[in-house]
Amino acid sequence: MSHFSPTAAVSYFFNYFLMKGVLVTIGLTVAAVIGGLILGMGIALLRMSSNPVLAGAARFYIWFFRGTPLLIQLVVIYSGLPQLGIKFSVITCALVGLILNEAAYLAEIVRSGFMAVSAGQREAAWALSLSPWVTFRRVTLPQAFRLMIPPLGNSINSLLKATSLASVISVEELMRRSDMLMQEHFQILEVYAAATAYYLILTSVWDAVQRRLEKHFGRSSVTKSRKVATRAPVAQASVEARA
Amino acid sequence: MSETSTTTTEGATVQPQLREVPAVRMEAVYKHYGDFTALNEVDLKVAKGEKIVVCGPSGSGKSTLIRCINHIEKHDEGLIYVNGVELDHQRKNIDAVRRDTGMVFQSFNLFPHMTVLENCTLAPMTANGMSEAEARDLAMHFLTKVRIPDQAEKFPGQLSGGQQQRVAIARALCMRPKIMLFDEPTSALDPEMVKEVLETMKKLAEEGMTMLCVTHEMGFAREVADRIVFMNEGKVVEQAAPEEFFKHPKSERARTFLDQIIH
């Protein structure tokens, strides 16, 4: 086979077996984001705690999981832990690994978001007798979240691609199923072209979602000058409408 | 003001049955930041309804002084009573004091992601359990008072500095404080917006609000203050009625300060 067959690539793209792999990739990503955010938020709170033991434990966690490759973490969970009598299903292993790893990154993003909210915001909340929960939920979290969206978007983009590492522990996601098709038909470029297209589509869809999120959460904190800027096209549009 | 009130209250947090409990009483208060002493044995007594202007060179501890009164800063030593409640770092006492005090900051510190109205209704609804309708009425009452009811649906970033600071005042008033603390409320404003904020504060003073105000606005001090507290290097150097203070400052430091500030 000395040429690239576009029709074969297209047929792989619409291959049902591969599509199911795409769904697994999406599922892994969504579950790891949700699990990672919850765990990461907890770790970030510990990291910001004034208790040196808790803060130290969180720091150790972040240091450990950011300092080792996800691939090793997955392999250790899948192949290493059974040696100690701890055994999970394949998909659980992948999720545990992805969540533990993602949480370390997200914890740092969450922490930097909270640290970027000015101290004056918390002081104003205290002065108004707001409870710690209301201060967190209504004052600091929404502002921190807005600041977190761009780095969060990056991290989720990386995670989406990192799910392909789960193929190594035999999770049949997009990468693994591409390998399987490739080994069956030996149309290497055609199969991976289809897989590449899926990854690009998924990351592009996420990009679009992220842009909408940024717009949505940025909306309420328009500065005066930006407001004027956004008003101008409206005025222009109404002039055009009249003309 | 009866000095005996202090001796009758052994151990009790709230001084009972005393009609003349001062709004604020500070005794030998110290505050340190590392090696730096921000408050150095500060004694201060503010009667109910009294208007105090705190002034002094930068770094003299003025802001720290009023920030200690609602426990935004924790004092290290000494006693602080607010309306008879001792600020002893106990949660319930801190909460009680914060309910009695409203604070206005130099940098406004409005919540940028909420509308003006939401800024004003958040605390009454969550901390006082008011219904949304009640809180809304209350907020509109105070927004009208600071003359910006028409901006209620806007976000703080869409308002001028003067308007933002007036919203901040309205927001604080929505918690019905007995004492208002102002930490350089006009220092971050463009000159043409200073007046509108000072007018709002004057109105508040006329209504009998107890006020402590850190400011460099000496015209305001002269007109509104019952007493000027002059600070330097963490100490209260002198206290006097404005007339007295401006005409005959006792300390050398106050004289040089006034020379620099009144050109």
Side-chain angles (χ1 to χ4, degrees):
Chain A
M1 221 175 302
S2 61
H3 71 290
F4 176 82
S5 158
T7 46
V10 170
S11 78
Y12 285 124
F13 186 82
F14 291 107
N15 183 306
Y16 188 57
F17 181 74
L18 199 68
M19 279 181 179
K20 271 167 64 182
V22 173
L23 290 182
V24 174
T25 291
I26 294 172
L28 278 178
T29 308
V30 171
V33 167
I34 294 169
L37 262 180
I38 294 168
L39 183 60
M41 186 86 86
I43 292 164
L45 291 176
L46 291 184
R47 176 85 169 75
M48 291 184 283
S49 127
S50 50
N51 181 324
V53 178
L54 295 180
R59 192 180 270 194
F60 174 83
Y61 180 96
I62 293 165
W63 170 77
F64 184 85
F65 281 95
R66 289 208 313 176
T68 50
L70 175 58
L71 188 53
I72 290 191
Q73 292 163 17
L74 287 171
V75 170
V76 164
I77 292 167
Y78 180 64
S79 321
L81 289 186
Q83 199 179 321
L84 304 174
I86 305 166
K87 237 181 144 176
F88 302 118
S89 73
V90 182
I91 204 85
T92 310
C93 283
L95 275 179
V96 168
L98 287 168
I99 288 173
L100 290 178
N101 185 272
E102 186 66 6
Y105 287 92
L106 296 186
E108 285 297 88
I109 291 173
V110 169
R111 187 174 72 98
S112 66
F114 277 98
M115 285 177 62
V117 176
S118 80
Q121 292 288 306
R122 250 154 289 187
E123 290 173 1
W126 293 338
L128 286 167
S129 307
L130 299 183
S131 69
W133 169 246
V134 172
T135 303
F136 171 76
R137 175 69 195 75
R138 302 290 301 277
V139 178
T140 44
L141 180 63
Q143 296 186 61
F145 187 66
R146 192 173 61 82
L147 298 165
M148 282 180 231
I149 293 172
L152 207 58
N154 266 331
S155 184
I156 291 171
N157 177 297
S158 301
L159 174 68
L160 182 73
K161 293 171 292 178
T163 55
S164 61
L165 290 172
S167 64
V168 173
I169 60 168
S170 77
V171 175
E172 291 192 20
E173 42 63 73
L174 177 55
M175 181 68 192
R176 177 81 175 180
R177 292 215 155 176
S178 306
D179 286 346
M180 289 160 89
L181 283 178
M182 185 269 291
Q183 276 156 14
E184 198 179 326
H185 303 286
F186 296 108
Q187 291 185 301
I188 303 171
L189 279 178
E190 287 81 354
V191 171
Y192 288 132
T196 302
Y198 272 119
Y199 279 117
L200 282 172
I201 288 168
L202 292 178
T203 50
S204 302
V205 167
W206 171 246
D207 274 352
V209 170
Q210 188 189 341
R211 266 198 302 277
R212 290 197 70 139
L213 281 175
E214 278 175 33
K215 217 172 151 189
H216 179 80
F217 284 95
R219 187 192 48 170
S220 50
S221 43
V222 276
T223 63
K224 216 174 178 196
S225 55
R226 261 160 76 200
K227 184 69 189 172
V228 171
T230 52
R231 247 186 216 148
V234 176
Q236 211 174 353
S238 66
V239 169
E240 281 163 10
R242 249 180 276 136
Chain B
M1 213 74 36
S2 53
E3 284 298 326
T4 53
S5 65
T6 60
T7 56
T8 58
T9 58
E10 275 185 335
T13 322
V14 180
Q15 301 178 328
Q17 279 87 49
L18 287 172
R19 309 189 78 193
E20 290 302 323
V21 175
V24 178
R25 187 153 62 88
M26 302 175 99
E27 285 177 8
V29 171
Y30 286 85
K31 170 76 189 173
H32 311 280
Y33 297 107
D35 289 339
F36 181 72
T37 305
L39 294 180
N40 191 349
E41 206 185 351
V42 167
D43 292 302
L44 182 70
K45 208 177 221 179
V46 180
K48 284 187 177 147
E50 210 178 355
K51 287 107 189 96
I52 306 284
V53 161
V54 185
C55 65
S58 73
S60 59
K62 321 177 286 281
S63 286
T64 308
L65 175 86
I66 74 159
R67 286 160 63 87
C68 280
I69 293 172
N70 64 350
H71 210 264
I72 296 284
E73 301 283 354
K74 235 193 265 181
H75 59 288
D76 295 318
E77 288 169 61
L79 297 170
I80 301 178
Y81 294 90
V82 179
N83 282 335
V85 177
E86 187 188 347
L87 257 187
D88 53 2
H89 311 316
Q90 276 189 64
R91 194 76 250 161
K92 66 172 175 30
N93 291 344
I94 294 169
D95 287 343
V97 166
R98 286 184 181 161
R99 278 178 183 279
D100 274 358
T101 51
M103 186 170 232
V104 175
F105 301 86
Q106 178 176 356
S107 49
F108 324 138
N109 293 349
L110 293 174
F111 305 134
H113 56 299
M114 296 182 199
T115 63
V116 163
L117 189 65
E118 287 165 345
N119 264 278
C120 293
T121 56
L122 179 65
M125 283 170 68
T126 60
N128 285 350
M130 255 187 205
S131 74
E132 195 179 340
E134 278 176 302
R136 203 189 155 87
D137 287 348
L138 183 72
M140 289 314 293
H141 169 76
F142 285 113
L143 286 172
T144 307
K145 193 170 171 150
V146 301
R147 291 177 295 111
I148 33 176
D150 47 319
Q151 312 284 350
E153 299 302 332
K154 289 196 179 161
F155 287 99
Q158 295 168 262
L159 305 183
S160 73
Q163 289 173 321
Q164 289 191 53
Q165 196 58 299
R166 285 186 283 144
V167 171
I169 293 172
R171 178 176 73 172
L173 291 176
C174 282
M175 288 300 280
R176 304 236 178 240
K178 300 191 180 87
I179 303 165
M180 282 291 283
L181 307 170
F182 293 89
D183 189 3
E184 302 204 27
T186 58
S187 300
L189 296 176
D190 291 334
E192 70 266 32
M193 290 166 185
V194 170
K195 200 175 157 215
E196 62 187 63
V197 171
L198 292 180
E199 289 298 329
T200 308
M201 291 166 63
K202 267 181 219 166
K203 209 156 96 185
L204 208 55
E206 282 161 15
E207 289 169 9
M209 177 67 78
T210 308
M211 289 166 60
L212 276 99
C213 182
V214 174
T215 184
H216 298 295
E217 294 294 331
M218 290 302 132
F220 173 83
R222 215 184 283 264
E223 199 176 331
V224 174
D226 297 314
R227 182 159 38 118
I228 310 271
V229 171
F230 176 75
M231 293 187 70
N232 188 42
E233 292 176 347
K235 283 181 183 280
V236 172
V237 178
E238 63 181 279
Q239 310 185 40
E243 275 304 290
E244 175 77 11
F245 177 74
F246 289 116
K247 287 215 178 96
H248 312 289
K250 287 191 220 71
S251 63
E252 184 54 41
R253 192 65 193 82
R255 266 193 293 277
T256 49
F257 174 76
L258 285 173
D259 281 345
Q260 279 159 349
I261 204 163
I262 300 167
H263 350 271

